Amino acid sequence: MASVPPNTGERGFTDSPPGHKTSYPAPGSDLLRRPSYCHAAFALKQISKGKAVGQKAPLWLRAQFQSLLFSLGCSIQRHCGKVLFIGLLVFGALAVGLRVASIETDIERLWVEAGSRVSQELSYTKEKMGEESVYTSQMLIQTPKTEGENILTQEALLLHLSAALAASKVQVSMYGKSWDLNKICYKSGVPIIENGMIERMIEKLFPCVIITPLDCFWEGSQLQGGSAYLPGRRDIQWTNLDPIQLMEELSQFTSLDGFKEMLDKAEVGQAYMERPCLDPTDSECPDSSPNKESQAIPDMVATLQNGCHGFSKKFMFWQKELILGGMSKGSSGELKSAEALQTMYLLMSPGQLYEHFKDDYEIHDINWNEEKAAAILESWQRKFVEQALQSIPQNASQDVHAFSTTTLNDIMKSFSDVSAIRVAGGYLLMLAYACVTMLRWDCSKSQGAVGLAGVLLVALSVASGLGLCSLLGISFNAATTQVLPFLALGIGVDDMFLLAHAFTETSLSTPLKERTGECLRRTGTSVALTSINNMIAFFMAALVPIPALRAFSLQAAIVVVFNFAMVLLIFPAILSLDLQRREDQRLDILCCFYRPDANDNHTYHPSSYGNPTITTSTHITTTVQAFTQCDSSGHHVVTILPPTSQISTSPSVIVPTVDPLGSQVFSPSSSTRDLLSQVKETKGRRECVPLPFLKWSLSDFAREKYAPLLLKPEMKVSSVAGR
């Protein structure tokens, strides 16, 4: 910006007659405040005249932009009603796009870059291992209530058994069918047997994949569901199943050599029948258990030292790191204690469950599809968590925590869902703040309705921006729903306050039809530069390859664009309508009512430019003393005007100008026109007189109480010490 030499300024350039100049107090003095703003075009003229210095190129660009904003503001003021109607219609139509908004909660899609190495490895795994490798994990984690306590005790493992057994018995009824763990769990693969009866029996008995420390004991068999029936003996279950003995009985009726060979290769043996019992006094504990006869409690640490096996010792080996947590080891690596137990249930994926039952005669009447399979899995997982937590007595010495894939998705959804109460509360608080800070007891200066309308326009611009994002297919996430509404509110309201304040600072000497244009010329450049910088920053952040951050950055950039359009196009129309309200002397907010003194006509009748005494129809007289004298060289006559604060008005009495020097020289000059313009600015601005207890305002508090408090040495010292 150009720098203007001292003692010059926009008011300092006059058309006084030759030999006569008007002297003003020096810039920065108490008598006159130098204006903090001047048009770029005016600065260019001063540079051309040699009265200021500066770079012409930036000033020329600024002048062109200010001229454009001025024309835009004047056009908006002329057609404020049409602009407001069309703007609200367009913004409202785009806001309807929120109806098709989609919220992304899949962690892989949110945080794994498309085409990255992680994404390629996941795709490769699914391609090579197939759909059968996809499963979901449901976990039970048990920890002691006292930190550091060893959990490898009979009491702790029996408590874990109680919780795991309750979770494995969960059933849900959906679509007229009952679904338990044995129907939906992940199984390593059911062998194909030529004998149909044997195949159906094995299919019912084939165990689920459950990774648990209980598999080191006979009690691990209690988690497996399913049963089979053979004539002449009780129901076959894993708690009483000895595969070797069963094969010997079935070999009398059919040839099972191939199946026996498969069991031998998998090292199934006697399955759970040869493992120690946690509670050897249990009547169900088999006689083949090594501690059944002795009734001795097994050594938990020694039993879990090398991990556990499922029903297949060769293919189902659970390392102790999978089933124990917080382990303490000796100098040679032997297990001494642990602080957590973990059991994992593996369930089929929705696609697997759909494929498994699509040809089953039991579900032919429910229009079976993958969505229903997913709904069954989600319902079972929610009940799994609930049932596991309810199975633990309140006086237990350990805590059991249940976790499922659906639980994680539910947490993500709860964080991603928009809290209408929180958002509405934030915007209502901003509405109250805008109304309080912009409300004035002087009706002609009050802008409470403008503040309310500005906040509502910001809310509409945020909704329309997010609606456009929905129409463009940009998915929402937790950052969008929880952060962006408040971030956009702060950015949009800041520009709104700036524009409203500049509008009140626009001089009343500016023609009425140019007020909005002058406001945009003064403030539009700052608003535009701020918004453009924010847009560029968010668009640059969209280059981050993480999908969640990219979506948030794009949505924030689009919302900033809509905020900028609202501040530059729609909000000036609101200001223009409020200007008409003030000119009609109607009340703020209650704009349908006129203020009590609105019918009084205040017409000023200046007698002449040569007489500085100005009389109004209500007999209010403004008296200005002008001192005329010669300068030190005696070549020029100088007229000195006092500051505006020293101009006094007295009712009912007309006092002529008094020249203390006895001079009768008073010629019309720019100082007289400035005085007349000041008088015109007061036209029709009689203040509404509030009640004594209503004179307080937020600005008065900040100016008279808060600012002096901050300037005290004690406050400065405490502020520095607080840092």
Side-chain angles (χ1 to χ4, degrees), residues 525-588:
T525 304
S526 301
V527 172
L529 291 177
T530 303
S531 300
I532 291 173
N533 287 336
N534 291 334
M535 282 185 279
I536 293 175
F538 283 121
F539 278 124
M540 292 295 292
L543 298 177
V544 177
I546 300 176
L549 297 181
R550 175 174 294 175
F552 171 78
S553 301
L554 286 175
Q555 289 162 344
I558 292 174
V559 169
V560 169
V561 172
F562 275 76
N563 275 340
F564 176 55
M566 180 275 299
V567 170
L568 212 61
L569 300 176
I570 312 301
F571 188 65
I574 297 291
L575 293 176
S576 301
L577 292 175
D578 186 69
L579 177 62
Q580 296 180 9
R581 190 267 310 170
R582 289 192 290 175
E583 289 296 320
D584 294 340
Q585 301 179 0
R586 285 178 287 176
L587 297 178
D588 189 16

Side-chain angles (χ1 to χ4, degrees), residues 216-413:
C216 285
F217 308 92
W218 167 79
E219 280 77 4
S221 63
Q222 298 181 15
L223 304 182
Q224 299 292 346
S227 62
Y229 172 76
L230 285 178
R233 62 175 298 172
R234 65 175 183 172
D235 289 350
I236 301 174
Q237 298 177 348
W238 279 99
T239 55
N240 56 32
L241 174 61
D242 185 343
I244 296 178
Q245 181 183 357
L246 181 63
M247 290 300 101
E248 292 177 356
E249 295 179 2
L250 295 177
S251 296
Q252 301 175 7
F253 306 100
T254 184
S255 175
L256 296 174
D257 294 338
F259 189 61
K260 285 183 179 179
E261 183 181 357
M262 183 184 66
L263 293 179
D264 292 338
K265 288 182 178 180
E267 299 180 9
V268 175
Q270 292 182 291
Y272 292 95
M273 304 303 290
E274 58 183 359
R275 302 182 188 184
C277 295
L278 271 174
D279 183 10
T281 62
D282 188 351
S283 60
E284 296 290 332
C285 181
D287 295 335
S288 57
S289 178
N291 64 335
K292 173 65 175 179
E293 184 177 354
S294 64
Q295 301 286 302
I297 298 175
D299 185 351
M300 308 300 171
V301 176
T303 307
L304 294 166
Q305 171 69 43
N306 297 318
C308 300
H309 295 274
F311 74 96
S312 169
K313 295 181 180 179
K314 183 175 183 180
F315 299 111
M316 294 184 175
F317 171 61
W318 322 134
Q319 298 177 352
K320 57 179 178 288
E321 288 79 9
L322 287 175
I323 56 180
L324 302 177
M327 292 181 292
S328 175
K329 299 180 180 180
S331 57
S332 58
E334 73 278 8
L335 179 66
K336 296 180 63 177
S337 65
E339 297 182 18
L341 301 173
Q342 176 174 273
T343 293
M344 288 191 295
Y345 299 81
L346 304 187
L347 304 183
M348 287 188 283
S349 66
Q352 288 177 324
L353 186 60
Y354 166 72
E355 292 291 336
H356 184 73
F357 283 99
K358 71 177 182 179
D359 297 326
D360 197 301
Y361 70 93
E362 293 184 357
I363 51 89
H364 71 280
D365 58 336
I366 63 174
N367 191 21
W368 183 245
N369 53 45
E370 192 168 338
E371 288 74 18
K372 291 184 178 180
I376 292 170
L377 290 172
E378 290 181 0
S379 178
W380 191 93
Q381 291 176 48
R382 292 189 179 96
K383 194 171 182 180
F384 161 83
V385 174
E386 178 183 351
Q387 195 70 28
L389 297 179
Q390 290 179 354
S391 65
I392 305 302
Q394 295 182 353
N395 58 351
S397 58
Q398 282 90 24
D399 294 323
V400 176
H401 310 277
F403 179 82
S404 69
T405 305
T406 300
T407 304
L408 176 61
N409 293 334
D410 290 342
I411 293 174
M412 292 296 297
K413 288 179 181 177

Side-chain angles (χ1 to χ4, degrees), residues 5 90 102 125 134 233 272 288 312 317 333 351 354 367 383 460 464 493 500 512 556 593 653 702 706:
V90 173
S102 61
T125 302
V134 181
R233 62 175 298 172
Y272 292 95
S288 57
S312 169
F317 171 61
Y354 166 72
N367 191 21
K383 194 171 182 180
L460 180 60
S464 58
V493 169
L512 183 64
F593 299 94
V653 180
Y706 186 65

Side-chain angles (χ1 to χ4, degrees), residues 76 79-96 453 456-465 561-574 577:
I76 292 175
H79 309 284
C80 56
K82 298 177 183 177
V83 171
L84 182 61
F85 175 77
I86 295 175
L88 294 179
L89 187 64
V90 173
F91 276 51
L94 291 174
V96 178
L456 293 176
L457 284 177
V458 171
L460 180 60
S461 68
V462 174
S464 58
V561 172
F562 275 76
N563 275 340
F564 176 55
M566 180 275 299
V567 170
L568 212 61
L569 300 176
I570 312 301
F571 188 65
I574 297 291
L577 292 175

Side-chain angles (χ1 to χ4, degrees), residues 63-80 83-84 499 503 513-525 527-528 564-576:
Q64 297 300 316
F65 193 60
Q66 286 181 348
S67 176
L68 178 63
L69 290 174
F70 179 79
S71 301
L72 176 64
C74 293
S75 300
I76 292 175
Q77 184 173 351
R78 285 195 303 269
H79 309 284
C80 56
V83 171
L84 182 61
L499 208 63
F503 196 77
K513 61 182 180 180
E514 298 179 359
R515 298 279 178 83
T516 305
E518 182 65 20
C519 175
L520 287 185
R521 178 160 59 183
R522 287 173 173 265
T523 315
T525 304
V527 172
F564 176 55
M566 180 275 299
V567 170
L568 212 61
L569 300 176
I570 312 301
F571 188 65
I574 297 291
L575 293 176
S576 301

Side-chain angles (χ1 to χ4, degrees), residues 475-489:
S475 299
F476 291 7
N477 53 61
T480 303
T481 58
Q482 302 298 327
V483 178
L484 190 54
F486 301 101
L487 177 64
L489 174 64

Side-chain angles (χ1 to χ4, degrees), residues 16 19 26 69-70 79 90 111 121 142 274 281 293 326 329 417 421 423 465 480 489 581 601 624 636 647 670 692 710:
S16 303
L69 290 174
F70 179 79
H79 309 284
V90 173
W111 300 103
E121 291 178 353
Q142 180 176 331
E274 58 183 359
T281 62
E293 184 177 354
K329 299 180 180 180
D417 289 339
I421 297 178
V423 174
T480 303
L489 174 64
R581 190 267 310 170
N601 294 322
V624 180
H636 300 283
I647 299 177
S670 62
L710 293 179

